[in-house]
Amino acid sequence: MKKTNIVLFGPPGAGKGTQSKFLNERYGLHHVSTGDLLRGEIQAETPLGLQAQELMSAGELVPDDLVVGMIRNLLEDNPDAQGFIFDGFPRTRAQAEALDETLIRIGDPISLMLALEVPEEDLVKRLLGRGATSGRPDDKSEEVVRKRIREYEKKTAPLKEFYHAQGKLRRINGIGSIAEITARLTDAIDG
Ligand code: AMP
């Protein structure tokens, strides 16, 4: 059976993690968050985690080969998944090309890119609010939060064009209640 592979896209604080959980329940897709995977590596004090930690706490992206390697391992380890929701990946053109190359080899290319759109000032408010309870050091400082948004605009946002050229981009208004946004996402997937 054809797999459904979705890129859930958007700036930091757009609600990708929250919405991934709902989509995971509804469609049975495997949720893959490179941020969560990296935080797991830091927790376990692996060499990869040590390499990533400083960059993450500065709000900068970690090197492409490192995240691409993690994703390739994960795809290999889960050959029977019905499909994947990629959350926070790809974040650069090189990552998007590596993902396409890997998925095409397996035979299940990306189905859709769902791009959550939220204005910067709302993102900053949400992230700093989350920082009070999430325990994520990169959500605590306004400087780091703004740095992550700059990184997104410079390196990641251009990927909308990459998927648009493949006819896969769907822009989703990311302002509203969690349930409203879930409904917009499921409409885009079902439609
Ligand atoms: P996130 O949990 O998606 O907000 O990611 C937290 C941090 O992990 C980011 O600010 C980056 O430092 C790093 N990170 C997560 N995913 C990627 C990725 N695909 N490419 C590069 N860095 C990443």
Side-chain angles (χ1 to χ4, degrees):
M1 210 186 80
K2 196 99 197 99
K3 296 185 183 184
T4 305
N5 289 319
I6 292 173
V7 174
L8 187 56
F9 194 78
K16 301 186 295 295
T18 304
Q19 293 298 335
S20 290
K21 292 197 187 82
F22 289 106
L23 298 182
N24 167 293
E25 279 164 27
R26 181 166 170 137
Y27 298 100
L29 304 175
H30 192 114
H31 173 212
V32 183
S33 155
T34 41
D36 286 348
L37 292 173
L38 289 166
R39 282 182 287 276
E41 299 282 338
I42 292 175
Q43 202 83 47
E45 298 180 4
T46 65
L48 196 155
L50 289 174
Q51 210 186 325
Q53 186 162 28
E54 210 172 310
L55 291 163
M56 286 171 75
S57 51
E60 289 170 29
L61 297 187
V62 308
D64 288 330
D65 55 349
L66 206 148
V67 280
V68 166
M70 282 192 330
I71 291 284
R72 287 209 172 115
N73 289 341
L74 190 135
L75 291 173
E76 271 173 29
D77 291 346
N78 293 278
D80 299 328
Q82 292 178 46
F84 296 89
I85 303 171
F86 296 100
D87 159 6
F89 179 87
R91 261 175 154 102
T92 64
R93 172 99 188 189
Q95 291 178 23
E97 286 172 352
L99 180 63
D100 268 5
E101 191 259 319
T102 307
L103 290 176
I104 288 165
R105 189 150 35 83
I106 300 172
D108 297 295
I110 289 297
S111 319
L112 277 182
M113 173 201 249
L114 303 173
L116 290 167
E117 299 188 329
V118 178
E120 171 158 350
E121 289 316 306
D122 294 272
L123 297 173
V124 173
K125 262 189 243 143
R126 283 190 197 179
L127 288 165
L128 292 174
R130 181 170 88 180
T133 53
S134 71
R136 275 184 58 166
D138 59 345
D139 283 344
K140 286 201 160 60
S141 127
E142 179 163 347
E143 190 191 333
V144 173
V145 160
R146 290 200 188 269
K147 170 78 187 170
R148 284 157 63 203
I149 297 171
R150 290 284 85 73
E151 285 277 272
Y152 168 80
E153 280 166 0
K154 196 162 97 201
K155 299 175 183 163
T156 308
L159 294 182
K160 286 193 214 180
E161 211 28 68
F162 179 86
Y163 287 97
H164 176 63
Q166 300 185 12
K168 294 175 180 169
L169 170 67
R170 304 288 180 276
R171 295 174 186 275
I172 308 287
N173 175 2
I175 293 286
S177 70
I178 290 175
E180 278 165 352
I181 297 164
T182 307
R184 290 176 200 143
L185 292 167
T186 54
D187 282 352
I189 296 171
D190 299 339

